Amino acid sequence: MQAVKLVGPHTMELQDVAVPELGPDDVLVKVAGAGLCHSDLHVLHMGEEWPFFGGTVGHEGAGWVESTGSDVDGFEKGDAVLVSVVWACGHCRACVEGRDNACEVNGSRAMFPTTPGLGPDGAMAEYMVVKARHLDKIGDLDPVAAAPLADAGVTPMHAINSARDRLTPGSTAVVIAVGGLGHMGLQILKATTGARIVAIDNDETKLELARELGADVVLKSDSEAAQKVLDLTNGYGADAVFDFVGVQPTVTLATQIIAPEGALRFVGLGGGSFTYASDSSTETLPWGVNVQRSYGGTRADQLQVIALAQQGKLEVEVKRYPLADFQQAFDDLEAGKVTGRAVLVP
Ligand SMILES: [Zn+2]
Ligand SMILES: [Zn+2]
């Protein structure tokens, strides 16, 4: 079968490899679609630091069950399934508490939890092996269009679920960047909260998409964006801000517009930072702001995302590429030419 391998710094290759063998609790998934993520680009350009060269890329995968290991119950050949982005142990204290994305066994302070395509072989291949407990059935959803739900859906869902107490009717939520994750986050906010939604992006096409998806206000991300958000809220600021980029200008913008006791969620890995002081010696953040750097999500988040998609309230804007054109897809993503999510189709 063919698989896209990260073979060295800045280099991916399409290779012919054996179809993987199954263990007793494994499922062989015939991949229907594999989404491309900015974190794939992040890893691609990390240099020699990356510890997993030789692995198959792709942490957003969906497809059909092809065969099952001897101990697997509940899945049959042909079932459409979505592969979880977080492969937690399922048994540790954090997992049992429903915080599988903070698994004590498969994650640590220094490392994100085990994720397919960022360690174990991922979805950019004709087949992938997944433990049955990391799969959810998606029924009639098209698995090509559903693949991005695994990360671009689940990650915003998790960030939004962590800020629900600030997303009451009458609140203001800001989505910074209407890309792969942002366009999903916007729909989740629309479908599940009463917040007024402000979308900010520097690309007119993406702001147009934001309007179509139900943003109440769209703003160009220029030097006046922060003041405009403050003006919209009588100077109070936004109750929740979701930064899906995380570069310095967006991190600065987020800190400038967050309200007292607001929820600030950094989802993009852009490397921006800000100064945090425990007193009022710097005015970076108002009182009481709660900051989280968000990683992936839980099985519960994934089930919620699938449910919203099945209700027609969460749709992925998908741009399809044949697996063999993976380089073109990554180049387009890097150049900002992808509206919504690029998906490789084996
Ligand atoms: Zn990702
Ligand atoms: Zn665990």
Side-chain angles (χ1 to χ4, degrees):
M1 67 170 194
Q2 293 197 305
V4 178
K5 298 277 182 183
L6 180 58
V7 293
H10 319 294
T11 313
M12 287 177 296
E13 267 177 24
L14 190 64
Q15 292 183 357
D16 267 316
V17 298
V19 174
E21 300 279 319
L22 289 191
D25 56 351
D26 287 334
V27 173
L28 185 66
V29 175
K30 186 179 192 325
V31 176
L36 274 71
C37 181
H38 274 280
S39 45
D40 295 322
L41 290 172
H42 182 72
V43 164
L44 183 64
H45 297 314
M46 253 171 100
E48 297 290 351
E49 233 182 287
W50 181 244
F52 302 116
F53 288 123
T56 300
V57 192
H59 53 272
E60 286 184 343
W64 303 276
V65 171
E66 176 71 18
S67 58
T68 56
S70 54
D71 291 352
V72 174
D73 284 325
F75 288 99
E76 304 217 346
K77 183 170 177 168
D79 284 343
V81 288
L82 181 65
V83 180
S84 290
V85 74
V86 169
W87 286 4
C89 81
H91 299 292
C92 73
R93 182 180 57 97
C95 281
V96 168
E97 289 175 357
R99 299 184 294 112
D100 13 331
N101 60 335
C103 178
E104 290 183 9
V105 177
N106 290 348
S108 68
R109 282 177 53 81
M111 188 46 118
F112 50 81
T114 304
T115 302
L118 301 169
D121 284 339
M124 292 184 187
E126 290 173 74
Y127 295 93
M128 72 183 293
V129 168
V130 186
K131 301 264 177 242
R133 62 190 163 82
H134 302 314
L135 292 174
D136 284 311
K137 290 183 195 173
I138 58 171
D140 292 340
L141 291 177
D142 168 13
V144 177
L149 295 175
D151 177 21
V154 164
T155 301
M157 178 62 90
H158 187 73
I160 290 165
N161 278 341
S162 77
R164 289 235 170 252
D165 58 344
R166 288 292 168 273
L167 294 167
T168 49
S171 65
T172 298
V174 174
V175 171
I176 300 179
V178 190
L181 274 71
H183 89 292
M184 308 282 275
L186 200 161
Q187 294 175 74
I188 294 168
L189 286 166
K190 189 78 185 169
T192 67
T193 80
R196 171 173 57 167
I197 303 165
V198 180
I200 302 180
D201 203 290
N202 55 17
D203 181 316
E204 198 50 57
T205 317
K206 290 175 183 173
L207 289 179
E208 189 51 47
L209 176 65
R211 263 186 218 104
E212 285 166 24
L213 295 175
D216 298 291
V217 180
V218 303
L219 295 174
K220 191 98 175 156
S221 62
D222 54 22
S223 57
E224 287 160 35
Q227 190 56 50
K228 284 179 180 164
V229 173
L230 293 176
D231 289 346
L232 282 169
T233 55
N234 299 319
Y236 184 69
D239 300 275
V241 177
F242 302 92
D243 180 357
F244 289 107
V245 191
V247 294
Q248 194 56 53
T250 62
V251 169
T252 301
L253 172 64
T255 62
Q256 286 170 339
I257 60 178
I258 191 70
E261 296 204 346
L264 199 43
R265 297 292 176 264
F266 292 110
V267 186
L269 302 175
S273 63
F274 66 92
T275 305
Y276 185 91
S278 59
D279 64 7
S280 304
S281 61
T282 68
E283 292 183 6
T284 317
L285 293 177
W287 290 111
V289 171
N290 169 285
V291 180
Q292 276 187 29
R293 206 157 58 100
S294 203
Y295 187 90
T298 65
R299 284 292 302 285
D301 297 319
Q302 174 145 311
L303 290 173
Q304 291 177 14
V305 161
I306 291 169
L308 277 187
Q310 288 176 332
Q311 291 166 23
K313 294 174 182 168
L314 182 58
E315 283 182 19
V316 192
E317 180 93 5
V318 169
K319 189 169 178 189
R320 300 172 192 227
Y321 296 80
L323 186 66
D325 291 347
F326 71 91
Q327 192 62 55
Q328 185 64 53
F330 275 104
D331 290 347
D332 287 352
L333 178 65
E334 194 149 31
K337 288 184 191 162
V338 177
T339 299
R341 204 62 153 173
V343 173
L344 299 182
V345 180

